[in-house]
Amino acid sequence: MSPQAIQFDAPAPAVFAPGLVLPLVATASSGLPVSFTSSDPAIASVSGSDLVVHAAGTVTITAEQSGDAEWGAAPSVAHPLTILKAVPSVSFGPLAT
């Protein structure tokens, strides 16, 4: 079996917002598809190659490729990702005088 490697750059920190979905991008040197897992699905879960954010916090996102008949399993690549709390803001229109 031939060895392979995964290229997975660390995702940038994000600010929590309801419905936030972050794309996950990784490639295997073999060209085989890469899968992802989250260390805490309550904070962020994986759906295909998207990370669905549910709450603020820190998770580790791991990219994996298990290989096939020609390619051995690639060493997994893991990166922490911080989802920051949103800072609430209040806006007022002009005040009557």
Side-chain angles (χ1 to χ4, degrees):
M1 286 191 190
S2 298
Q4 63 171 325
I6 295 173
Q7 173 64 42
F8 176 40
D9 294 330
V15 176
F16 175 75
L20 178 63
V21 176
L22 303 173
L24 296 171
V25 179
T27 56
S29 58
S30 63
L32 295 170
V34 175
S35 62
F36 301 94
T37 57
S38 168
S39 63
D40 189 344
I43 293 174
S45 59
V46 174
S47 177
S49 60
D50 288 331
L51 188 68
V52 181
V53 178
H54 306 290
T58 300
V59 297
T60 298
I61 306 302
T62 303
E64 300 174 301
Q65 208 316 304
S66 58
D68 64 8
E70 295 179 35
W71 297 92
S76 61
V77 178
H79 292 297
L81 171 64
T82 300
I83 307 297
L84 304 168
K85 290 182 181 181
V87 177
S89 64
V90 177
S91 298
F92 295 97
L95 298 175
T97 55

